[in-house]
């Protein structure tokens, strides 16, 4: 019965997305924003010109290769001309297929991750999958020819195969994800980290049993336990037998990482093409933006009177710890806040208005927000406290690597870390999931409304400008 219901949900989702796709393609027939680079490049690949490359494109050609691989056979079978099969609308349709694939992968991931939770119902799994597939950032870019939908698809597929311990297949899919976006190597490393975390957790539990200690591998509260954990890790990694086991388990991912390092050496950096606007920095406040972003989109799970009371109790109990964290946060914001020129120059993005109306309102705003950042970070960690400490360390390492080096505040960079976080928190109640879905639907409706109806013109360009993420 569950499979039948889920199949109906997938079909209904595809039908609704197809209607939205048709409306968007009619309203915006030509390439828009980054599509102005992606669409012509894909059309070159469609015509067989694989050696021609637009130097303004900064990602590898995974999207164009997949598009050509799907579109060209269709043109041969149906006898359509190249102008039709490689049109902007047909290229965008590829992402609509990825949207459907993402819904399926999210559902299977939820089933796999929460398989031991007998209290989880079919309704919760299906509606959670639909909710995450409707995640506003991911959903909106499923209707334009951007890399996000395909990139997310291959990362989710990689993660799923990793959970099923099919690591060779996972590595192959990870390579596809890397070809869509180079920074996906971070989430390939996360999959390897997941495998390592499993082995460490098993060894840690065995070590505790031997010492007749009933504590499990969760986040330690005391300094003594932290030291004990550190000694365990040191002893584990110094064992050649343990290292051999880890290498034998993760070698497919290791090959990808070595290949990535070779790519960095040959390419002279992670970005292909134009690098002037994609410089690496230490933008530590990106973590705070991500925690705030997560708090907003997971409000139904993370914000409640009980959560607020628990946070205040934690602050009272560990006052010195929070004061220290606050001071460190202030210093990081003071010394490492970067404002990319695109953020304050392009008024088509929502981040432009967030920065203008909040952060640029007063010089002290970014410091005043620190207590809110701390609360957002606390709720984030609390939601993941049921995972092992080793999994949490692997996730936070990859989260930091994916966000901190980015100068530009771009919410699209938060899609994958957000989805992995959301997949791994305890399954929320049905009421909270419905509230989350309602929030996502409302944001999607408002986003599409602004895209269609709140158009404007730039003085130096004749084409219509539209608001978007």
């Amino acid at each position: 019965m569950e499979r039948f219901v889920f199949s109906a949900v997938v079909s209904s989702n595809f039908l609704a997305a197809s209607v939205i796709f048709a409306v968007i393609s009619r309203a915006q027939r030509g390439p828009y924003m980054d599509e102005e680079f992606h669409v012509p490049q894909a059309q070159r690949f469609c015509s067989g010109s694989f050696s021609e490359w637009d130097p303004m494109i900064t990602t590898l050609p995974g999207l164009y290769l997949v598009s050509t691989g799907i579109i060209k056979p269709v043109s041969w079978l149906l006898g359509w001309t190249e102008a039709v099969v490689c049109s902007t609308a047909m290229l965008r349709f590829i992402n609509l297929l990825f949207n459907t694939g993402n819904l399926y992968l999210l559902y299977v991931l939820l089933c796999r991750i929460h398989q031991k939770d007998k209290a989880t119902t079919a309704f919760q799994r299906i509606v959670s999958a639909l909710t995450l597939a409707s995640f506003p950032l991911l959903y909106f870019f499923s209707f334009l020819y951007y890399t996000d939908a395909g990139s997310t698809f291959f990362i989710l597929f990689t993660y799923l195969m990793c959970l099923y311990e099919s690591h060779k297949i996972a590595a192959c899919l990870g390579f596809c994800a890397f070809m869509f976006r180079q920074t996906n190597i971070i989430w390939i490393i996360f999959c390897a980290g997941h495998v390592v975390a499993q082995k460490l957790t098993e060894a840690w539990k065995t070590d505790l049993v031997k010492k007749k200690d009933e504590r499990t591998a969760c986040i330690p509260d005391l300094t003594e336990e932290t030291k004990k954990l550190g000694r365990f890790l040191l002893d584990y990694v110094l064992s050649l037998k343990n290292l051999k086991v880890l290498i034998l388990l993760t070698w497919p991912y290791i090959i990808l990482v070595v290949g990535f390092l070779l790519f960095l050496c040959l390419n002279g950096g992670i970005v292909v093409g134009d690098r002037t606007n994609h410089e690496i920095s230490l933008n530590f406040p990106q973590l705070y933006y991500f925690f705030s972003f997560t708090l907003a989109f997971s409000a139904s799970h993370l914000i409640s009177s009980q959560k607020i009371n628990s946070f205040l109790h934690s602050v009272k109990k560990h006052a010195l710890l929070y004061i220290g964290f606050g001071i460190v946060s202030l210093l990081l914001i003071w010394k490492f806040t970067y404002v990319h020129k695109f953020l304050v120059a392009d008024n088509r993005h929502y981040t432009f208005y967030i920065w203008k109306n909040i952060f640029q309102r007063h010089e002290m705003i970014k410091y005043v927000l620190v207590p809110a950042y701390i609360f957002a970070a606390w709720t984030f960690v609390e939601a993941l406290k049921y995972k092992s400490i080793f999994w949490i360390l692997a996730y936070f390492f990859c989260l930091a690597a994916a966000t901190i080096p980015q100068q530009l505040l771009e919410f699209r960079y938060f899609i994958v870390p957000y989805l992995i976080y959301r997949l791994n928190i305890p399954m929320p109640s049905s009421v909270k999931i419905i509230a989350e879905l309602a929030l996502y639907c409302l944001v999607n409706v408002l986003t599409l409304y602004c895209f269609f109806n709140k158009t404007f013109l730039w003085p130096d360009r004749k084409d219509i400008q539209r608001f978007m993420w």
Side-chain angles (χ1 to χ4, degrees):
M1 184 63 181
E2 180 178 348
R3 291 181 179 180
F4 174 78
V5 173
F6 179 67
S7 298
V9 169
V10 172
S11 301
S12 300
N13 177 76
F14 182 75
L15 179 61
S18 297
V19 172
I20 297 171
F21 168 79
V23 176
I24 287 179
S25 295
R26 178 169 294 186
Q28 182 65 46
R29 295 182 181 275
Y32 183 64
M33 208 171 294
D34 286 5
E35 286 186 321
E36 294 175 357
F37 307 109
H38 293 310
V39 169
Q41 186 62 54
Q43 289 171 340
R44 293 187 193 100
F45 275 45
C46 277
S47 62
S49 302
F50 295 101
S51 60
E52 293 184 43
W53 185 259
D54 185 344
M56 295 302 293
I57 295 173
T58 59
T59 53
L60 291 169
L63 176 62
Y64 319 129
L65 291 171
V66 170
S67 301
T68 303
I70 294 174
I71 286 174
K72 292 300 282 187
V74 172
S75 68
W76 297 332
L77 288 172
L78 300 179
W80 290 352
T81 63
E82 185 179 302
V84 174
V85 294
C86 294
S87 64
T88 301
M90 283 296 292
L91 290 170
R92 287 173 179 169
F93 187 77
I94 300 298
N95 277 344
L96 205 61
L97 300 178
F98 280 129
N99 171 267
T100 304
N102 284 330
L103 173 56
Y104 175 77
L105 289 173
L106 288 164
Y107 170 72
V108 180
L109 279 164
L110 286 165
C111 291
R112 181 67 179 179
I113 292 170
H114 300 281
Q115 62 180 337
K116 294 181 180 179
D117 183 4
K118 303 303 180 185
T120 300
T121 64
F123 177 84
Q124 288 173 300
R125 288 189 290 268
I126 293 171
V127 179
S128 287
L130 179 62
T131 300
L132 294 181
S134 304
F135 179 53
L137 273 296
L138 180 60
Y139 195 71
F140 179 80
F141 287 103
S142 297
F143 302 108
L144 298 177
Y145 195 60
Y146 274 59
T147 59
D148 300 275
S151 171
T152 303
F153 173 84
F154 282 108
I155 284 295
L156 291 177
F157 210 164
T158 301
Y159 186 34
L160 179 63
M161 290 298 101
C162 174
L163 293 180
Y164 276 102
E165 299 182 358
S166 299
H167 301 303
K168 294 176 186 176
I169 296 175
C172 292
L173 292 166
F175 175 75
C176 294
F178 173 75
M179 289 296 291
F180 269 70
R181 188 173 287 170
Q182 295 92 299
T183 52
N184 281 338
I185 191 67
I186 295 166
W187 301 108
I188 296 167
I189 293 172
F190 168 75
C191 290
H194 169 85
V195 177
V196 173
Q198 276 187 318
K199 301 304 291 184
L200 287 172
T201 302
E202 291 170 8
W204 174 244
K205 287 181 177 179
T206 303
D207 189 61
L208 291 180
V209 170
K210 286 180 180 178
K211 296 176 181 178
K212 296 181 180 180
D213 193 332
E214 296 180 353
R215 286 166 293 186
T216 57
C218 57
I219 300 176
D221 293 324
L222 303 174
T223 304
E224 182 182 346
E225 293 183 13
T226 306
K227 289 180 179 178
K228 189 182 295 184
L229 187 66
R231 287 195 294 269
F232 164 78
L233 282 172
L234 185 62
D235 292 339
Y236 191 92
V237 298
L238 289 178
S239 168
L240 293 177
K241 180 182 177 182
N242 292 333
L243 287 178
K244 182 181 177 181
V245 170
L246 294 179
I247 290 171
L248 288 174
L249 283 171
T250 60
W251 68 264
Y253 307 108
I254 293 173
I255 290 175
L256 282 182
V257 173
V258 171
F260 171 71
L261 294 176
L262 182 62
F263 163 78
L264 286 182
C265 293
L266 295 176
N267 187 56
I270 193 170
V271 176
V272 296
D274 180 35
R275 301 177 186 176
T276 56
N277 298 314
H278 297 83
E279 297 177 354
I280 294 176
S281 65
L282 287 176
N283 194 356
F284 287 101
Q286 287 277 23
L287 278 175
Y288 301 125
Y289 307 149
F290 174 75
F291 291 141
S292 303
F293 173 90
T294 301
L295 184 66
F297 282 104
S298 291
S300 62
H301 315 313
L302 301 184
I303 300 178
S304 67
S305 58
Q306 183 181 357
K307 289 274 188 182
I308 294 171
N309 289 333
S310 297
F311 171 69
L312 294 175
H313 177 73
S314 179
V315 171
K316 185 177 179 181
K317 186 178 180 181
H318 307 286
L320 289 177
L321 179 65
Y322 282 95
I323 290 171
F325 186 40
I327 291 171
V328 170
S329 298
L330 289 169
L331 289 173
L332 290 176
I333 291 170
W334 175 40
K335 288 293 186 180
F336 295 99
T337 296
Y338 291 89
V339 184
H340 197 282
K341 61 182 181 181
F342 286 172
L343 181 61
V344 294
D346 195 335
N347 65 346
R348 295 171 294 183
H349 294 288
Y350 295 140
T351 47
F352 170 89
Y353 298 95
I354 291 173
W355 197 265
K356 176 184 176 182
N357 295 319
I358 297 178
F359 293 94
Q360 287 188 326
R361 189 168 290 275
H362 194 278
E363 178 65 25
M364 296 302 294
I365 289 292
K366 59 185 178 182
Y367 304 112
V368 173
L369 289 173
V370 166
Y373 292 152
I374 293 175
F375 174 69
W378 179 86
T379 58
F380 188 87
V381 174
E382 275 291 297
L384 291 172
K385 69 180 181 180
Y386 300 97
K387 305 294 289 186
S388 80
I389 181 63
F390 307 111
W391 188 95
I392 292 173
L393 289 173
Y395 175 77
F396 270 90
F397 171 81
C398 293
L399 173 63
T403 55
I404 291 174
Q406 304 284 356
Q407 276 197 14
L408 179 63
L409 174 56
E410 171 62 86
F411 289 152
R412 289 188 297 134
Y413 301 154
F414 295 164
I415 292 174
V416 172
Y418 178 84
L419 289 178
I420 292 177
Y421 144 81
R422 177 59 181 79
L423 285 166
N424 283 280
I425 66 173
M427 183 65 74
S429 66
S430 298
V431 173
K432 290 182 177 180
I433 296 170
I434 293 172
E436 182 183 31
L437 178 59
L439 172 63
Y440 289 4
C441 289
L442 176 62
V443 173
N444 286 332
V445 168
L446 292 175
T447 302
L448 291 170
Y449 174 81
C450 291
F451 186 81
F452 291 134
N453 299 302
K454 298 296 181 179
T455 58
F456 59 98
L457 293 172
W458 278 355
D460 57 337
R461 296 187 64 170
K462 293 181 179 180
D463 48 327
I464 293 175
Q465 305 302 317
R466 301 178 185 275
F467 292 110
M468 59 187 292
W469 287 106

